[in-house]
Amino acid sequence: MSVHTFGPFYQERIWGGQALGQLYGRALPEGKQIGESWELVDRPNIESPLEGEEGTLHDLWAKRRVEAFGRRAPDAPRFPILVKLLDCRETLSVQVHPPAEKAAALGGEPKTEMWYFLHTEPEAKIYAGFRKGVTAESLRASVGTPQLAESLHQLPTAPGEAMFLPSGRVHAIGAGNVILEIQQNSDTTYRLDDWGRVDASGKPRELHKEQALASAWIDDPEPFFAQPHGENVVTCAYFKVGRVFLWPGEFRDFQPGGESFHYHFVARGSVTQEGRTFRAGQGWLVTADHPAYQVEASEEAELVTVRFP
C-alpha cells in the first residue's frame, strides 16, 4: 500500500481537555484531560501503528525508507518528524527547547517546531520570544515573578495562523487554542515557569530554570506569525509545511516523484483521494513512490501538507 493512516496516542496533560472529541468526534478516554494526540510518531517507546495493516511507522522507516519517504529522507535511525494535535484548555508553561549546539551538553535533544492554529477561543493568545529591551539579566531576575509574563511577546491567535519556533525561542501557548504541531522528533522541554500551577496532589511541576536560561534565545524581539508565500507556510531544514484552500469540487494535483512522502491533515471541511474521504481532524500519509494523484474537496476545505524540504 502507498496510502497509510495511523492510530493516535492520546496523552493526558494537566492543561488539556476534551476539545478533540468535541471538534472532531474522536472517542477520547472519558474524564481525562487530553492535552496531546501524537498523530505521527516514531519514538523508542511510542510508534504510530498502521491502521488496517500490520506494523508501525518505524517499520516503514526501517524497511522501506527510500520507497516510502523518498530520496530526501535523512540517514537517521527513526522518522525525524513528529506530528501532534494540542488541546490547550489552560495556558501551558513558559518553556524552551535546547538549540542544536547546546542540546547535548544540557542532556537533551533540539526541537524546532511550528504551530498551525486549527481552533481558537475568543481572546486566545500565545507567548513567543521577548518584548524589546529584555536582556539575559532582566530575564533571570523576572523568573518566578509577575514580570516574566510582561517580558514575553504576546500575540492574539486565529485559525489559519502559523508560528515558527526554532530551538531556543522561549514560548507558551495560552488557553483556548487547538493546534496542529509539526516538530523535530524530540521530546525535550525545559520549563522556565508554570504560572504557580500545582497538580491534583498540590505539588508544582518540575522546572528547569538553569537549562532553560542556558537554552533561551535572548535576542529574539517580538517575532510574528509566519507569512505564507503562496501555498508554502513554513520551510526549514527539517520539514516543509504547505496549505491549500479548496472550494467544493476543486482539486489539487500532488506529485511525490520519489522525492518525499506527503502527510496531509484536514484542518477544515472534507476531501477525497482516490475515492477515500478524509474529514476535519484526520490525517494520512502518501508514500514517495505513489504516482501523481489528486485531492478533491467534498466541501469547502483547508488542507495542510507536511513533507521533507
Side-chain angles (χ1 to χ4, degrees):
M1 292 180 64
S2 54
V3 177
H4 304 281
T5 58
F6 300 88
F9 284 96
Y10 295 122
Q11 308 279 348
E12 191 169 16
R13 297 289 185 260
I14 195 170
W15 41 263
Q18 288 276 312
L20 301 183
Q22 296 159 5
L23 292 172
Y24 305 127
R26 294 193 175 199
L28 302 182
E30 188 174 350
K32 301 293 186 180
Q33 295 172 242
I34 302 302
E36 301 187 12
S37 175
W38 293 22
E39 301 289 290
L40 200 64
V41 55
D42 183 9
R43 299 286 296 170
N45 57 334
I46 300 179
E47 298 175 2
S48 292
L50 289 158
E51 291 187 322
E53 310 171 62
E54 292 187 359
T56 67
L57 175 64
H58 182 70
D59 293 328
L60 282 180
W61 182 255
K63 299 174 183 177
R64 298 185 58 237
R65 184 175 308 177
V66 175
E67 298 93 331
F69 299 98
R71 291 184 287 271
R72 298 179 190 169
D75 182 13
R78 291 186 176 272
F79 180 63
I81 297 173
L82 175 54
V83 179
K84 300 178 181 178
L85 290 173
L86 307 180
D87 171 16
C88 309
R89 185 177 61 87
E90 297 181 5
T91 299
L92 275 67
S93 61
V94 181
Q95 58 187 245
V96 65
H97 313 298
E101 66 274 14
K102 297 181 179 181
L106 293 170
E109 302 170 297
K111 183 166 79 171
T112 287
E113 61 189 352
M114 70 158 285
W115 298 329
Y116 190 90
F117 294 86
L118 301 171
H119 174 81
T120 61
E121 297 293 332
E123 301 184 9
K125 63 184 177 182
I126 57 168
Y127 303 83
F130 299 106
R131 298 180 67 179
K132 293 178 181 178
V134 173
T135 65
E137 293 75 19
S138 66
L139 174 61
R140 178 177 285 274
S142 72
V143 176
T145 76
Q147 281 67 50
L148 177 61
E150 296 176 11
S151 72
L152 300 174
H153 180 47
Q154 301 181 30
L155 300 99
T157 56
E161 297 279 19
M163 172 59 73
F164 180 58
L165 297 142
S167 289
R169 174 166 285 170
V170 174
H171 58 272
I173 307 173
N177 288 292
V178 175
I179 296 171
L180 177 67
E181 181 176 271
I182 299 104
Q183 59 162 87
Q184 283 181 271
N185 187 355
S186 164
D187 200 28
T188 298
T189 296
Y190 297 137
R191 298 189 194 99
L192 192 61
D193 191 88
D194 201 26
W195 314 105
R197 180 163 39 204
V198 296
D199 62 20
S201 63
K203 296 180 179 180
R205 289 197 296 172
E206 181 183 6
L207 301 180
H208 318 91
K209 178 179 176 180
E210 294 305 321
Q211 296 99 317
L213 289 171
S215 299
W217 177 18
I218 299 297
D219 187 18
D220 189 20
E222 303 186 1
F224 199 63
F225 294 112
Q227 302 300 297
H229 299 279
E231 295 180 351
N232 182 53
V233 179
V234 166
T235 299
C236 68
Y238 312 106
F239 47 75
K240 180 176 182 178
V241 179
R243 69 165 175 205
V244 293
F245 298 101
L246 299 170
W247 292 99
E250 188 179 5
F251 61 84
R252 184 68 83 249
D253 291 312
F254 291 92
Q255 299 182 21
E259 294 293 325
S260 173
F261 74 99
H262 293 166
Y263 179 77
H264 300 296
F265 182 86
V266 184
R268 180 168 51 88
S270 61
V271 299
T272 60
Q273 181 193 333
E274 298 164 351
R276 187 170 180 178
T277 298
F278 299 93
R279 305 186 185 282
Q282 294 182 322
W284 74 103
L285 186 145
V286 181
T287 59
D289 61 359
H290 193 287
Y293 63 95
Q294 292 181 341
V295 175
E296 182 177 350
S298 311
E299 55 184 308
E300 187 177 346
E302 182 178 349
L303 183 70
V304 179
T305 299
V306 182
R307 65 193 83 178
F308 287 133

